[in-house]
Amino acid sequence: MFRPSDWAERLAGAMSSFRPGGAQMGRAAYIGYSPYCVPKVINGVRCVVVNEALRELEPMAWDFVMNFARDNQLQVAEACLLPDAPAAAPRPER
């Protein structure tokens, strides 16, 4: 079982090779999360956002994530994430 403080990053790290074009090797390789499995903090809650496209692209990877959630008694919710609102420009002082 993962430490409570870093489970999201570890799970997303384990899924990092599942990305468009597959895992890169050699000079093209870089450290980063898969766009299909990204750790986030939403409303103060640490979570992992898993894109449903992963289910079709890599069914075994999808099953791994869902089984991880079940085995570790993590809450699973279906959601639609909206992009963050752009930051408001500072108001000029009068």
Side-chain angles (χ1 to χ4, degrees):
M1 193 156 187
F2 294 127
R3 292 188 314 245
S5 63
D6 69 351
W7 73 267
E9 290 81 5
R10 287 183 180 228
L11 176 59
M15 300 299 294
S16 66
S17 64
F18 297 99
R19 58 181 66 239
Q24 300 293 316
M25 302 301 237
R27 297 177 94 183
Y30 61 92
I31 297 173
Y33 296 117
S34 165
Y36 302 118
C37 189
V38 182
K40 296 248 183 212
V41 176
I42 299 176
N43 295 330
V45 177
R46 183 177 304 278
C47 60
V48 176
V49 176
V50 182
N51 188 319
E52 195 171 297
L54 185 63
R55 184 187 306 202
E56 292 295 319
L57 295 170
E58 276 297 335
M60 289 178 67
W62 175 266
D63 289 344
F64 172 80
V65 172
M66 293 298 110
N67 289 331
F68 178 89
R70 186 194 68 232
D71 293 347
N72 290 283
Q73 300 173 344
L74 299 174
Q75 184 179 25
V76 175
E78 191 169 327
C80 177
L81 296 180
L82 300 174
D84 293 332
R91 293 183 178 182
E93 292 187 33
R94 294 182 188 202

